[in-house]
Amino acid sequence: MIELEVYAAGIRDLDKIMQLDHQFETVSGLRYKVDSNHDLVYLEFDEPATLTTAAIRDTFGKIGLKARFVGPVSAELRPKNKTQRLRV
């Protein structure tokens, strides 16, 4: 299981919470909880391949919020680079 904490100023608005619920309802293996007093969203993933940090940022962006990750972000959630670094 992978856990991620996201700070999103403005998530305490009930309309924003409902929009976020609508965005996340299609993601299998995802559980989340909103702490509206502190503008935090706690995410838990069963499968890390379901979302990346970029997809999470996009999801929050669609509802007009800027996602900021709190604490360390698991390597499984980071986008994978398909290029290789050249050594000189």
Side-chain angles (χ1 to χ4, degrees):
M1 178 184 339
I2 296 175
E3 298 176 348
L4 183 66
E5 191 173 329
V6 180
Y7 173 77
I11 195 66
R12 60 183 70 197
D13 181 18
L14 184 59
D15 184 49
K16 296 292 184 185
I17 294 172
M18 297 301 288
Q19 290 177 27
L20 185 67
D21 183 56
H22 180 67
Q23 293 291 323
F24 281 152
E25 70 186 1
T26 60
V27 180
S28 64
L30 172 67
R31 290 174 301 285
Y32 70 95
K33 184 169 107 176
V34 177
D35 179 355
S36 59
N37 292 329
H38 300 101
D39 289 331
L40 292 172
V41 180
Y42 302 98
L43 303 168
E44 286 183 355
F45 300 89
D46 286 335
E47 301 174 28
T50 55
L51 284 177
T52 63
T53 53
I56 294 169
R57 279 193 180 104
D58 289 343
T59 301
F60 279 88
K62 287 178 185 177
I63 62 173
L65 299 175
K66 182 177 180 182
R68 296 182 185 153
F69 301 110
V70 178
V73 176
S74 176
E76 291 99 356
L77 296 176
R78 292 191 198 119
K80 310 295 185 261
N81 287 337
K82 295 184 179 182
T83 59
Q84 293 179 348
R85 196 173 280 223
L86 296 175
R87 297 182 188 246
V88 184

